[in-house]
Structure formats: C-alpha cells, structure tokens
Amino acid sequence: MSFSEQDASVSKASSLYHTAGELLAKADIQLDGSRPWDMRIKSTEVLDRALSEGNLGLGEAYMDGLWEADQLDEFFFRLLRANLYEQVKPSKLVLHALRAKLTNLQSIKRAWQVGEAHYDLGNDFYAAMLDKRMTYTCGYWKNATTLDEAQEAKLDLICRKLDLKPGMKVLDIGCGWGSFMAYAAEHYGVECVGVTISREQAEYGKSLMKRGLPVEFRLQDYRELNETFDAIVSIGMFEHVGHKNHRAYMEVAHRCLRDDGLFLLHTIGKKVRESTPDPWIDRYIFPNGDLPSIGQIGDAAGELFITEDLHNFGADYDKTLMAWHANFERSWPQFKERFGERFYRMWRYYLLSCAASFRARDIQLWQWVLSKQGVLGGYQRVD
C-alpha cells in the first residue's frame, strides 16, 4: 500500500468513527466506552459494515467477534428508543427490500425452510433453553415469577379466552412441541390436532401421544387443512405466513372453524404496514419471516371474521427472552462442541436484540380473538 493509500484509509476510518460516534451519542452509547451498554470495536470495518448494511452488517460483525457490548440487550434498547435505525438507510439492502415486497417467500415449497433451519436444531437444545413444557412463544408474566409459571399462565389464558369445554375438538395451526395441546387436553378435556412444518417437533409429538393424550401431530402445511373444529388457536406461527398469504391463511381458519366457534391468533406484530423484514433475522434466524401490522391482519380477516378482542402484552416478551437467554447461557457448555463459537454469538445476538426490541416497544405481541358471526351479547375478555 502506498503512503497516499494509507492516508486515505486512515482518513476514512477517522471519518467513520466520528460519524458513528455522533449517531451513537444520540442513544447515550459511547464508542469504546466503559459502561455495560457501550460499544467496543476491534476494527472500524464494523462501522463501515453497519452503516452500509444496517443490522445485517452489524450482526455479522458481532458474529465475527469484531465488536462487543457487555450488556447487549441494553445496547439495542438504547438504539431503538433513539430511533437510530431510521437515520441509517443502508444502500446495499435495496434488493433485499424488493425481494421481500415482490416475491412470495412463504409459498408452500419455501415454507418448510424455516423448520429445517431453525426449529430442527435439536429437541435437546430447545429443551435446555425453554420452560418444562417447551413453549417457544411469549409467556404471560402478570402474576408469574418464573418462566414455567409465565408459560402456564399464557396457556391457561388462551384456553379461557376460547372458552374450552370437555369434548371439544381444537385445531392448533403451527403447534410447535405441543405445549398448548397437551395443556388443553390435560386441563380442559379437549381433543387437539396440530400441524407443524418441523420434523423434530412432529417427532417429539409422538412422545405426547404415547402418554395417552388425545393429541395428533401432523407434519403438514396449514393450507392443506379442510375439516371442521370447535375452536382454532395459532400461537407464534403467523409471523411465518407472509403478507402475500395472510388472506389465504384466514380463509383456511374460516373454513375450518365451526360457525359459533372462536379463533385465537397469538402473533408478534409491527407498528407499520409497509416495511422490510430484518435482513439479519431473515438470513440467520427465521428465513422468510414477515411480521404483520394490525392493518394487515385486519385486511386479511375482513368479511371473514369479527374481531372480538385484541390484547397487547408485548412487554412480557422481554422477560421471556431474557429467561431463555439465561437458560441458554447456563446450558451452553453441553452444546459448545456441536454448534461452535460463531453460533453462540449468533444466538446471543438473536435473543438479546429481540428482548431489546420488545423492551423498547418497537415490536408487539398481540392476541386476537376472532369469531365468524359475532358472539351474541358480546364477548367478555377473561383475565
């Protein structure tokens, strides 16, 4: 490298450091500071990647070990509350945005990708991170002090919102490891059918069926369903449906629900209708994911369902994710050899950045209760 090239490199690095430092200062974050939420960098390459590629560049640089923050969740919380992401418009993500807008990334063929990439990491891995029932969705912490209590409270809340009674037949769209189906069968005497696109989850479901519980796991895409149920629940699956399929999803629920039945939709959501899925989350955690807005859900349900109740307890996801992170850190030594250091940093980044997103109220957790014809006399929310 010539002296002029060295001078240009140093000048660029100095300019990047200054620009990034000014941005971060708006969130009370210091570059190479000593507070737990301050960002310590090992190369200005981190700043270049973050400013040109947004969270994709920032996340990959973290996975590569190029920067640290002792309290990663607090770092992201401050970024989000200061709206810094809105001030950085990454030029390299134009194609990602167009692809998400124009392509059906959640077609029947592509829908199986998230199962293979995320949910099939291993049942033992998720058993170590989650609660005793393996519930991979937001807990309800109103009267809970532990993860197990919060998840059981959430499952019971759903059962009561649906007014489940013994002998009812319930459909669970995106049933996960069957925590809702097992709980509802044990405590409310119902029969459940669940569909999943994860082979690991379907295999785990066989153990529940061996216990004699009236639950059926199907390795099946939701669009193939065509039978009638007394109630329908979908907990943490709608985020994988995609805006191009929202209407088709609601049509499936409508044709499968008894005329006087209730449908509970539990989903993460965003505050804006037109947005692009986070590129880092899309590449490394949830391929083809797409968070809905209230407007998009309303459009999809129009003429098919009446919204009886809408409940937001998104702040509870912060506590849930932090509990998962604590379990993950505690159990990591048994998975270190299998997954390696880069996976460890990726998973920490995922759990802690998402916790910060809910803490900052940037994204939400909604439970919708929907009916086909309206509850006569009005629906009464239980709590």
Side-chain angles (χ1 to χ4, degrees), residues 48-184:
D48 192 13
R49 291 164 70 173
L51 292 172
S52 63
E53 300 178 41
N55 194 40
L56 178 62
L58 186 67
E60 289 183 334
Y62 183 81
M63 291 164 63
D64 293 338
L66 297 181
W67 67 276
E68 299 288 351
D70 294 335
Q71 204 171 332
L72 201 58
D73 54 309
E74 187 65 16
F75 167 82
F76 280 109
F77 167 73
R78 290 168 179 269
L79 283 184
L80 290 163
R81 286 300 284 187
N83 295 313
L84 290 196
Y85 280 106
E86 296 179 7
Q87 300 177 48
V88 178
K89 305 295 182 182
S91 59
K92 295 183 179 180
L93 297 180
V94 174
L95 291 179
H96 170 76
L98 287 174
R99 174 173 169 268
K101 184 176 182 179
L102 301 176
T103 307
N104 185 358
L105 299 176
Q106 300 81 13
S107 63
I108 291 180
K109 183 178 180 180
R110 296 179 63 93
W112 296 83
Q113 291 179 357
V114 68
E116 296 167 356
H118 189 84
Y119 296 104
D120 289 346
L121 287 172
N123 289 336
D124 59 338
F125 174 75
Y126 284 106
M129 185 181 82
L130 304 178
D131 65 301
K132 64 183 181 182
R133 296 179 182 274
M134 290 182 69
T135 314
Y136 196 21
T137 50
C138 181
Y140 189 53
W141 291 84
K142 183 176 181 180
N143 297 309
T145 57
T146 69
L147 180 61
D148 285 340
E149 290 174 354
Q151 293 296 12
E152 184 162 315
K154 184 265 303 293
L155 297 175
D156 197 69
L157 180 66
I158 291 171
C159 291
R160 289 183 288 118
K161 283 184 176 182
L162 289 172
D163 194 24
L164 296 186
K165 297 288 190 295
M168 292 177 68
K169 187 175 181 180
V170 182
L171 171 65
D172 187 344
I173 304 176
C175 62
W177 286 275
S179 62
F180 168 78
M181 296 198 296
Y183 184 87

Side-chain angles (χ1 to χ4, degrees), residues 37-55:
W37 58 85
D38 286 335
M39 183 182 189
R40 304 189 305 277
I41 63 172
K42 300 179 181 179
S43 167
T44 52
E45 175 191 343
V46 173
L47 308 178
D48 192 13
R49 291 164 70 173
L51 292 172
S52 63
E53 300 178 41
N55 194 40

Side-chain angles (χ1 to χ4, degrees), residues 108-319:
I108 291 180
K109 183 178 180 180
R110 296 179 63 93
W112 296 83
Q113 291 179 357
V114 68
E116 296 167 356
H118 189 84
Y119 296 104
D120 289 346
L121 287 172
N123 289 336
D124 59 338
F125 174 75
Y126 284 106
M129 185 181 82
L130 304 178
D131 65 301
K132 64 183 181 182
R133 296 179 182 274
M134 290 182 69
T135 314
Y136 196 21
T137 50
C138 181
Y140 189 53
W141 291 84
K142 183 176 181 180
N143 297 309
T145 57
T146 69
L147 180 61
D148 285 340
E149 290 174 354
Q151 293 296 12
E152 184 162 315
K154 184 265 303 293
L155 297 175
D156 197 69
L157 180 66
I158 291 171
C159 291
R160 289 183 288 118
K161 283 184 176 182
L162 289 172
D163 194 24
L164 296 186
K165 297 288 190 295
M168 292 177 68
K169 187 175 181 180
V170 182
L171 171 65
D172 187 344
I173 304 176
C175 62
W177 286 275
S179 62
F180 168 78
M181 296 198 296
Y183 184 87
E186 290 172 344
H187 295 271
Y188 287 83
V190 299
E191 177 184 342
C192 296
V193 172
V195 295
T196 177
I197 54 172
S198 165
R199 288 176 173 79
E200 285 282 319
Q201 290 176 344
E203 187 65 27
Y204 180 84
K206 294 178 182 178
S207 66
L208 295 180
M209 290 184 280
K210 287 178 181 177
R211 286 165 45 190
L213 292 175
V215 297
E216 177 186 352
F217 281 73
R218 298 179 186 173
L219 191 62
Q220 182 182 24
D221 188 278
Y222 70 93
R223 283 162 282 207
E224 299 169 355
L225 290 164
N226 191 16
E227 55 197 278
T228 304
F229 296 86
D230 298 304
I232 298 177
V233 67
S234 187
I235 310 171
M237 180 270 183
F238 196 70
E239 301 91 332
H240 302 302
V241 169
H243 64 277
K244 289 186 175 295
N245 305 300
H246 286 168
R247 183 65 175 183
Y249 175 94
M250 290 295 182
E251 289 171 346
V252 169
H254 185 269
R255 74 171 179 247
C256 290
L257 182 64
R258 199 177 72 188
D259 284 348
D260 61 349
L262 293 174
F263 168 34
L264 187 141
L265 176 65
H266 171 118
T267 182
I268 299 170
K270 61 190 178 185
K271 61 186 177 183
V272 292
R273 180 187 293 267
E274 297 295 334
S275 65
T276 302
D278 182 272
W280 186 86
I281 292 287
D282 181 65
R283 178 174 293 184
Y284 292 101
I285 307 300
F286 295 117
N288 310 320
D290 184 14
L291 299 185
S293 69
I294 282 183
Q296 288 174 321
I297 295 175
D299 289 346
E303 299 180 352
L304 297 175
F305 290 107
I306 293 170
T307 300
E308 300 286 358
D309 189 53
L310 177 55
H311 182 187
N312 183 349
F313 54 98
D316 284 21
Y317 227 141
D318 174 18
K319 293 182 180 179

